[in-house]
Amino acid sequence: MIKLSKLSDYAIVVLSQLAAEQGTLLTASELSTKTTIPEPTVAKVLKLLSKSEIINSSRGVRGGYNMTRAPKEITVAELIEALEGPILITSCADHQVEADCNIAEICPMHGKWARVNMVVKDALGTLALSDLLVSVRKKSA
């Protein structure tokens, strides 16, 4: 089974909130309150998304986070890689690991997983973040 971590789920919720309030800087605390995700988890998600330049981070009293691009311009593959690391079906799909494999010369799957991995990665690259966003209701102040 291929399974993403809860962090990826949380990222979709956080990004949904940022997308709903496009153009507004939101702090980690505000995002935590609006999404009901614990603030340390929101902060971790924001750090990873910022590092991958999916969101902007602005420091200071009037600082916060906002999206760098429209949700339709961010691929699901990009999002998964930002949160989970490289997309690999098995370690055999990673050429560096494959070189260290003890049974690579006799393995019937040698070289085959890389193709499967590429198909999955390409498919995730055709989906946009906008395809995953959840509906967010803005709370009135």
Side-chain angles (χ1 to χ4, degrees), residues 15-34:
L15 288 168
S16 295
Q17 190 67 50
L18 288 170
E21 300 191 42
Q22 191 75 30
T24 304
L25 287 176
L26 297 172
T27 66
S29 179
E30 290 170 327
L31 285 163
S32 175
T33 299
K34 290 174 186 248

Side-chain angles (χ1 to χ4, degrees), residues 83-139:
L83 295 155
E84 308 284 346
I87 296 171
L88 293 172
I89 299 300
T90 68
S91 60
C92 296
D94 184 353
H95 295 292
Q96 287 181 321
V97 173
E98 189 176 324
D100 297 332
C101 181
N102 293 331
I103 64 165
E105 291 181 25
I106 61 168
C107 180
M109 289 305 295
H110 181 73
K112 306 289 192 240
W113 283 117
R115 183 172 175 211
V116 173
N117 196 74
M118 187 57 65
V119 169
V120 170
K121 188 173 180 178
D122 287 348
L124 293 171
T126 66
L127 290 172
L129 172 60
S130 57
D131 297 323
L132 301 181
L133 293 181
V134 294
S135 178
V136 173
R137 281 186 274 162
K138 289 187 192 178
K139 294 180 183 176

